[in-house]
Amino acid sequence: MGVKERQEREREAVARAILDAARDLFVAEGYQNVSIRKIADRIEYSPAAIYSYFPSKDDIFFALAEEGFHLLFESHSPDEGPGAEPQEPIDRVRAAFWHFYQFSRKHPEYFALMFVDRSVPRITNLRERFSFISSMKERLTGLIAAAVDAGQLPGDSDPHTVFRILSTATMGAAVVRLCNRFSPDEDPDALARDTIEAALAGLRAGIPFSFQSKACGDSPARS
């Protein structure tokens, strides 16, 4: 291994240590309560060393958010096998939101940081860096539109509004599980499945909408 390659690996290792320490501290103490010095103390580096990797605490969050969204948008979760994707549009919609809930189970730290902490910076001004989020939202609303076209959702259903309703229902179930608001004999995964099914049942029954989503509105994350 050459000197340059070794230096690059060492730099990547330090950056990884910074991100891991920051993620754990942000989740445990809240983003606004964590300073660069506190992150530096956790990994036994100086604040100046941290700044040589990330210009600001916000930049550390943006790096973590980018990682988290890429984890969320993986095409299949680890426990899904080849060919597991359902064929019917409505079943693909169901599977997509179940995958979102599973993300909250498998990566609770990222979920808490991305969707629960209200003090994190917004990603609105970094649309180019996070453009893949809009692309994935378009794919999801495309799945919903396909379900409408197939007659599996009412013909006047707005895909963006349906997306908001299903993401809010799923996120609610995920937050309740994350906060451990259950009795010992209650199954949070069963509640999540029932919540998604109840939302889908209402949508398929043609409930009137009082909420209307803007096609170019925010993503279902801190944006």
Side-chain angles (χ1 to χ4, degrees):
M1 181 187 301
V3 174
K4 185 176 181 180
E5 184 180 3
R6 183 168 58 251
Q7 289 176 338
E8 183 61 27
R9 288 192 178 185
E10 290 173 353
R11 184 170 179 81
E12 290 175 359
V14 174
R16 181 73 264 159
I18 293 169
L19 291 173
D20 289 345
R23 183 194 60 225
D24 293 346
L25 286 167
F26 291 160
V27 172
E29 303 182 20
Y31 178 82
Q32 65 182 351
N33 299 318
V34 177
S35 64
I36 290 289
R37 178 171 294 279
K38 187 171 288 189
I39 298 169
D41 289 344
R42 172 66 68 92
I43 63 172
E44 299 182 344
Y45 269 68
S46 68
I50 302 292
Y51 285 120
S52 71
Y53 287 84
F54 299 97
S56 69
K57 187 176 77 166
D58 284 1
D59 287 294
I60 296 175
F61 167 75
F62 293 139
L64 288 168
E66 191 171 15
E67 286 185 347
F69 278 114
H70 279 299
L71 288 170
L72 171 58
F73 295 146
E74 287 176 346
S75 58
H76 291 286
S77 56
D79 58 345
E80 292 174 337
E85 186 174 11
Q87 298 303 310
E88 289 294 325
I90 195 67
D91 293 330
R92 296 179 68 191
V93 171
R94 178 185 290 105
F97 286 94
W98 179 248
H99 179 73
F100 179 35
Y101 172 75
Q102 285 192 313
F103 168 78
S104 75
R105 295 177 70 250
K106 295 168 185 173
H107 305 285
E109 297 88 357
Y110 283 102
F111 179 83
L113 187 60
M114 294 158 57
F115 295 101
V116 180
D117 190 338
R118 294 183 298 171
S119 67
V120 300
R122 304 178 77 85
I123 63 174
T124 304
N125 296 328
L126 298 174
R127 291 194 181 277
E128 183 174 347
R129 179 173 180 178
F130 290 93
S131 61
F132 65 95
I133 297 176
S134 296
S135 297
M136 289 305 301
K137 181 179 177 182
E138 289 175 7
R139 287 180 59 184
L140 285 171
T141 53
L143 289 179
I144 294 168
V148 174
D149 292 341
Q152 296 168 338
L153 287 169
D156 59 351
S157 298
D158 171 49
H160 296 278
T161 300
V162 172
F163 172 85
R164 279 295 201 177
I165 291 170
L166 289 172
S167 61
T168 300
T170 308
M171 192 179 302
V175 170
V176 171
R177 183 189 182 280
L178 183 72
C179 296
N180 195 25
R181 297 296 193 264
F182 288 93
S183 300
D185 57 344
E186 291 181 326
D187 183 350
D189 293 351
L191 178 62
R193 286 188 182 278
D194 291 347
T195 299
I196 294 171
E197 289 300 327
L200 282 171
L203 291 165
R204 298 183 77 173
I207 60 170
F209 295 153
S210 57
F211 171 81
Q212 294 295 324
S213 178
K214 296 180 180 179
C216 297
D218 291 341
S219 71
R222 180 68 173 167
S223 56

